[in-house]
Amino acid sequence: MQELLRKHNPIWFGQQLETGIERSTLHQIVSFLSVPHIIAISGARRSGKSFLLRQLIMHLLGTNVPASNILMMNFEDPFFVNNDDVKVLDTLLSEYRVMKNPSGKVFLFLDEIQNIPQWHRWLRDLYDQNPDVKIFITGSNSELLSVELASHLTGRVLSFENFPFSFYEFLQDRPDIKLPNILQFETLYPMKDSLQHYIEKIFQIGLFPEIINVEDVSLREEILHQYFQQVLFKDIIPKFSIRNSKTIEQLAYYCSTTFASRFSYHRIASAVGSNENTVKEYLSYLEKAYLFFVIEHFSYSFKKQMRYAKKIYISDEGLRNATASSFSPDTGRHAENVVFLHLRRETQNITFWQDDHSGAEIDFIIQRKNQYILCNVSYTNEISQREYNAFSMFLTSNPIKDYQCFIVTRDVYKKVIHQGVDIQLIPMWLFLLHIPRWLKQ
């Protein structure tokens, strides 16, 4: 056990941790270091949760927290394949105290904690009995960091989500890009061609941290395909005791091919040779593992909302390209998916709307209290009347007062008044670097 502790805690011996690109959630989490709550970070496999923990550790060391007061353990280590009894956590903590004899507040980092059965009960007892221990946990399944924590650790947890890189984070690793301090049209316009280049590169490679610098297409797609398989066969099938692994695998590949589009459970069930209830259940597992996201049709009536078709998005563009049975570039759908992921980093409260008769559509509706963002994605510089008409049609049938309307374009930046509705056309390269500030206000 002591050898395992040494392996995972090189900071005890004066070694620096590789921290990678600073994540945007780092400062938000740091602001909660002084409160006693457990910090829980959930997110897709390989999305950079471990590096976020390393960044938090290096922050603590930078504020003069002794290395001996920090314990890090990754439960993906092969050691825990045959040592997954919850008692191993007691042994781990005991051996740490024997080795380091820490004085004062201890910071405990438990990466991929869901691999230990009954971990939440152990964590509750540790939290309740040890006020001088600050606990950080990560997991690759949203259920583990919501349902189970809510039932066993009520009032003791602050939860955060971690995603693959944002466009802003991705650009931090580009030597030819130096973003200005103020991100607005005038300051970004001189570099718009480079920004556009990288957006269209993201359509191909995605934003997983380990992938963004892999130039070999075959190698990149093999790594991403392995990610996809690991989520299915390590995070979903064993966790939910799925007997028919072939069906959920077919479902995952079908969803990858048909990403950024509307669907019904009936249609998917026919495509994969299953039934609607099974598809609904399996799709919820794919969502919990952060592989796909499903959004509902906008409606004030929950019953009506359940009757409408839904839309599905994938967690990463590169992941889609490595797993879909499609040879089309699908530029329009990639653009819509990228915008969705950008918005999803800031809020879960996203719906879409489609008119029953004309088919006019609002791609994304984000609601904050009584405020709304209405957003269409038209990745071109020639915007059709259909895009403009959708806003006035929606507002006629849904008379809301406080709203902003956007069309995300390829390169057009202007304001249009159409049928009395103000619509801001905004290039994707500006939208991906600027719009979240509205959501955070």
Side-chain angles (χ1 to χ4, degrees):
M1 180 62 76
Q2 291 195 2
E3 181 180 348
L4 183 70
L5 286 165
R6 293 188 187 97
K7 172 184 173 182
H8 286 270
N9 293 275
I11 59 168
W12 294 349
F13 312 103
Q15 297 180 31
Q16 295 290 304
L17 297 177
E18 182 184 353
T19 55
I21 297 169
E22 185 176 294
R23 303 309 304 266
S24 58
T25 51
L26 175 64
H27 296 291
Q28 186 181 6
I29 296 174
V30 163
S31 68
F32 290 101
L33 289 179
S34 61
V35 301
H37 298 66
I38 297 167
I39 301 294
I41 304 167
S42 63
R45 178 178 287 274
R46 315 305 299 174
S47 64
K49 298 186 298 296
S50 298
F51 274 85
L52 179 55
L53 292 188
R54 292 181 190 181
Q55 291 171 15
L56 287 165
I57 289 171
M58 294 307 295
H59 172 84
L60 291 172
L61 293 174
T63 58
N64 298 318
V65 172
S68 59
N69 283 48
I70 297 172
L71 170 61
M72 170 76 172
M73 185 54 60
N74 188 330
F75 294 96
E76 292 275 272
D77 191 289
F79 172 85
F80 296 103
V81 173
N82 298 314
N83 295 276
D84 62 351
D85 189 280
V86 70
K87 293 179 181 178
V88 75
L89 298 173
D90 287 320
T91 304
L92 191 75
L93 194 56
S94 177
E95 288 295 331
Y96 158 67
R97 286 171 171 156
V98 168
M99 291 176 67
K100 307 309 295 183
N101 192 29
S103 175
K105 192 165 190 174
V106 168
F107 296 86
L108 186 60
F109 293 84
L110 306 175
D111 199 5
E112 301 294 351
I113 185 66
Q114 79 278 351
N115 290 333
I116 305 298
Q118 302 300 314
W119 59 271
H120 41 77
R121 299 179 188 274
W122 180 86
L123 208 62
R124 180 187 60 197
D125 292 341
L126 178 68
Y127 176 90
D128 289 343
Q129 298 170 18
N130 296 269
D132 288 335
V133 176
K134 177 70 175 181
I135 305 165
F136 302 79
I137 62 173
T138 74
S140 296
N141 190 306
S142 64
E143 183 184 68
L144 293 177
L145 298 179
S146 57
V147 176
E148 293 189 14
L149 286 190
S151 59
H152 295 283
L153 295 165
T154 305
R156 300 171 175 90
V157 179
L158 293 172
S159 296
F160 300 85
E161 288 185 305
N162 187 74
F163 296 90
F165 285 147
S166 66
F167 186 49
Y168 178 86
E169 291 167 333
F170 169 81
L171 292 175
Q172 304 308 301
D173 195 48
R174 304 299 101 185
D176 58 323
I177 294 288
K178 183 173 176 57
L179 290 174
N181 292 328
I182 300 174
L183 301 174
Q184 58 189 28
F185 180 80
E186 292 76 13
T187 59
L188 292 170
Y189 185 82
M191 60 180 70
K192 71 179 182 67
D193 291 338
S194 294
L195 296 175
Q196 191 67 55
H197 165 77
Y198 284 122
I199 285 173
E200 296 186 5
K201 185 172 184 178
I202 286 169
F203 290 172
Q204 301 171 29
I205 70 172
L207 288 164
F208 274 104
E210 292 180 344
I211 295 299
I212 59 173
N213 291 314
V214 178
E215 296 297 335
D216 185 294
V217 176
S218 297
L219 176 59
R220 182 172 67 235
E221 292 195 348
E222 176 60 27
I223 294 171
L224 287 166
H225 191 263
Q226 288 181 15
Y227 284 2
F228 200 79
Q229 290 283 302
Q230 286 172 353
V231 172
L232 289 174
F233 290 95
K234 291 187 69 175
D235 297 337
I236 296 178
I237 291 171
K239 161 67 182 174
F240 298 106
S241 303
I242 294 174
R243 295 180 179 179
N244 193 345
S245 61
K246 183 178 180 181
T247 297
I248 195 168
E249 187 176 14
Q250 288 178 329
L251 173 63
Y253 284 105
Y254 178 85
C255 291
S256 179
T257 301
T258 59
F259 82 126
S261 63
R262 291 182 298 278
F263 74 92
S264 69
Y265 294 119
H266 176 75
R267 188 192 310 163
I268 295 181
S270 298
V272 301
S274 186
N275 61 74
E276 291 185 38
N277 288 335
T278 297
V279 165
K280 188 179 296 187
E281 179 183 357
Y282 285 2
L283 193 52
S284 74
Y285 299 155
L286 297 175
E287 284 191 88
K288 289 170 183 174
Y290 290 95
L291 200 55
F292 294 96
F293 301 94
V294 172
I295 65 172
E296 303 282 351
H297 192 282
F298 177 89
S299 176
Y300 296 112
S301 166
F302 180 75
K303 288 184 178 180
K304 288 183 179 179
Q305 189 178 67
M306 291 300 100
R307 289 200 299 267
Y308 281 110
K310 306 173 192 313
K311 292 182 78 173
I312 192 161
Y313 296 92
I314 194 167
S315 59
D316 181 74
E317 308 310 305
L319 203 62
R320 189 270 175 178
N321 293 333
T323 57
S325 56
S326 171
F327 300 101
S328 168
D330 289 324
T331 301
R333 288 203 287 163
H334 276 299
E336 184 178 332
N337 200 81
V338 165
V339 170
F340 168 78
L341 293 174
H342 182 64
L343 295 170
R344 179 60 181 79
R345 285 182 175 90
E346 305 300 331
T347 179
Q348 297 183 38
N349 191 15
I350 304 173
T351 56
F352 77 100
W353 175 85
Q354 185 177 40
D355 181 65
D356 291 335
H357 303 292
S358 69
E361 184 174 350
I362 303 294
D363 291 326
F364 306 116
I365 301 171
I366 300 95
Q367 182 179 357
R368 296 174 67 251
K369 297 182 179 179
N370 293 321
Q371 297 177 305
Y372 295 81
I373 285 183
L374 310 179
C375 179
N376 270 350
V377 182
S378 183
Y379 195 67
T380 176
N381 292 334
E382 298 179 2
I383 312 303
S384 70
Q385 285 297 308
R386 180 185 177 90
E387 299 290 343
Y388 296 120
N389 292 341
F391 293 103
S392 55
M393 293 179 69
F394 172 81
L395 292 168
T396 298
S397 58
N398 299 278
I400 58 178
K401 295 181 179 180
D402 193 350
Y403 61 87
Q404 294 184 46
C405 298
F406 293 94
I407 299 177
V408 180
T409 70
R410 191 173 190 272
D411 208 33
V412 180
Y413 183 65
K414 65 179 180 180
K415 183 169 286 189
V416 172
I417 300 176
H418 180 77
Q419 297 179 359
V421 179
D422 289 353
I423 305 170
Q424 177 66 62
L425 277 64
I426 182 168
M428 183 173 287
W429 49 263
L430 178 59
F431 185 87
L432 296 181
L433 293 171
H434 180 69
I435 291 303
R437 302 180 188 283
W438 185 93
L439 289 170
K440 292 176 179 178
Q441 289 177 359

